[in-house]
């Protein structure tokens, strides 16, 4: 998973793109001469500072159980799951102290999309906002409709609830989705405007709606044609609005 920031600027506006799970291809709107002329104008960024919290892979401690099942998982994917809650708590403490205005969380919020892990993440993000920062999230390929959401207990691996796209947006309504100016009907992508002249374009290129591969949720990413058209429309509107 990766994050990129693309500034598309007109006279008095900026668009910041935050996305996970996919690489952004050449945009179709670049072929439009009038839009190219608008984008050629000098950028005018507002005075704002960003911090990024990427790939926390939080596992709700209530899902952890010592034994053969969790040890088998860790042999295949050696994340600091046992420590993930403490690590996140320390990261939240550091972010609260940083001189940042906006905190971007570009996906893989949870180990494997467990609903309880998402709820715990939302609780931790509220602590950041209580310190005066604004938080914006987007899902990663571990976060939605994950077939590997489990609780571990000895030798047992017990399925637990993951979240649907709609539930993800509901849980994180305070962190982008509730403030969205526009949402992509085909994905969890959205655009928000935390400050005048600055729009955040959060892009979801994950494949959670596709069939599993060998029983596992797809880990790659790409944008659908519908989402690409939506992105073009958002960027074109920002360029025209100036």
């Amino acid at each position: 998973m990766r994050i990129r920031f693309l500034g598309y600027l007109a006279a008095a506006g900026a668009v910041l793109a935050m996305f996970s799970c996919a690489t952004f291809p050449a945009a179709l709107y670049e072929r439009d001469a009038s839009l190219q002329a608008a984008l050629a104008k000098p950028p005018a960024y507002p005075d704002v500072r960003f911090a990024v919290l990427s790939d926390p892979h939080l596992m709700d401690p209530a899902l952890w159980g010592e034994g053969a099942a969790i040890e088998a998982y860790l042999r295949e994917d050696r994340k600091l799951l046992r420590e993930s809650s403490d690590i996140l708590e320390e990261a939240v403490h550091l972010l609260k102290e940083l001189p940042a205005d906006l905190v971007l969380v570009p996906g893989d919020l949870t180990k494997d999309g467990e609903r309880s892990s998402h709820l715990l993440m939302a609780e931790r993000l509220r602590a950041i906002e209580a310190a005066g920062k604004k938080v914006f999230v987007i899902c990663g390929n571990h976060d939605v409709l994950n077939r590997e959401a489990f609780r571990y207990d000895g030798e047992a691996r017990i399925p637990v609830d993951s979240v649907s796209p709609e539930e993800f947006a509901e849980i994180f309504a305070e962190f982008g989705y509730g403030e969205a100016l526009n949402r992509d009907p085909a994905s969890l992508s959205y655009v928000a405007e935390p400050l005048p002249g600055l729009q955040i374009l959060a892009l979801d290129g994950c494949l959670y709606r596709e069939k599993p591969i060998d029983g596992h949720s797809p880990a790659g990413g790409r944008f659908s044609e519908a989402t690409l058209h939506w992105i073009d429309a958002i960027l074109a509107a920002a360029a025209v609005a100036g």
Side-chain angles (χ1 to χ4, degrees), residues 1-238:
M1 189 186 65
R2 57 181 67 86
I3 180 169
R4 293 184 181 179
F5 300 102
L6 306 177
Y8 293 93
L9 307 172
V15 176
L16 176 68
M18 173 181 72
F19 56 97
S20 63
C21 302
T23 301
F24 194 71
L28 298 176
Y29 76 92
E30 291 180 333
R31 303 172 187 172
D32 188 308
S34 62
L35 291 179
Q36 289 176 356
L39 294 172
K41 297 177 182 179
Y45 290 104
D47 184 14
V48 62
R49 292 164 294 185
F50 296 91
V52 177
L53 173 62
S54 181
D55 293 72
H57 286 280
L58 175 64
M59 181 180 182
D60 177 7
L63 303 176
W64 178 279
E66 297 290 351
I70 191 64
E71 292 302 326
Y73 177 87
L74 292 175
R75 282 195 295 271
E76 299 295 326
D77 190 356
R78 299 195 64 82
K79 296 186 179 75
L80 296 175
L81 297 177
R82 186 204 307 265
E83 300 84 4
S84 63
S85 180
D86 290 338
I87 291 171
L88 179 61
E89 186 172 352
E90 180 62 20
V92 167
H93 174 73
L94 293 173
L95 287 166
K96 288 165 64 175
E97 300 299 320
L98 282 178
D101 305 295
L102 305 178
V103 178
L104 308 181
V105 190
D108 283 355
L109 283 68
T110 60
K111 170 188 170 288
D112 282 311
E114 309 87 5
R115 179 178 176 83
S116 64
S117 297
H118 280 302
L119 293 172
L120 180 57
M121 173 61 71
E123 180 182 321
R124 299 291 174 82
L125 296 182
R126 289 187 190 100
I128 298 174
E129 290 210 333
K133 290 88 167 64
K134 189 70 193 80
V135 178
F136 292 90
V137 308
I138 190 67
C139 61
N141 55 20
H142 284 258
D143 290 326
V144 177
L145 294 178
N146 196 320
R147 299 163 181 85
E148 297 174 69
F150 295 114
R151 175 172 64 85
Y152 296 84
D153 185 7
E155 297 185 358
R157 192 176 66 163
I158 304 159
V160 297
D161 289 339
S162 184
V163 298
S164 67
E166 295 75 19
E167 289 169 328
F168 183 91
E170 180 181 355
I171 290 171
F172 296 104
E174 302 163 63
F175 312 111
Y177 290 95
E179 301 99 326
L181 301 176
N182 196 318
R183 286 187 56 186
D184 174 25
S187 74
L188 280 167
S189 304
Y190 66 90
V191 61
E193 188 171 21
L195 294 170
L198 175 67
Q199 292 186 356
I200 291 179
L201 186 55
L203 301 180
D204 165 25
C206 302
L207 305 178
Y208 42 78
R209 296 189 189 277
E210 297 197 0
K211 293 181 180 179
I213 301 172
D214 296 328
H216 299 285
S217 297
R222 64 176 175 271
F223 295 123
S224 68
E225 184 175 351
T227 295
L228 286 173
H229 285 305
W230 179 83
I231 293 168
D232 278 349
I234 294 297
L235 295 177

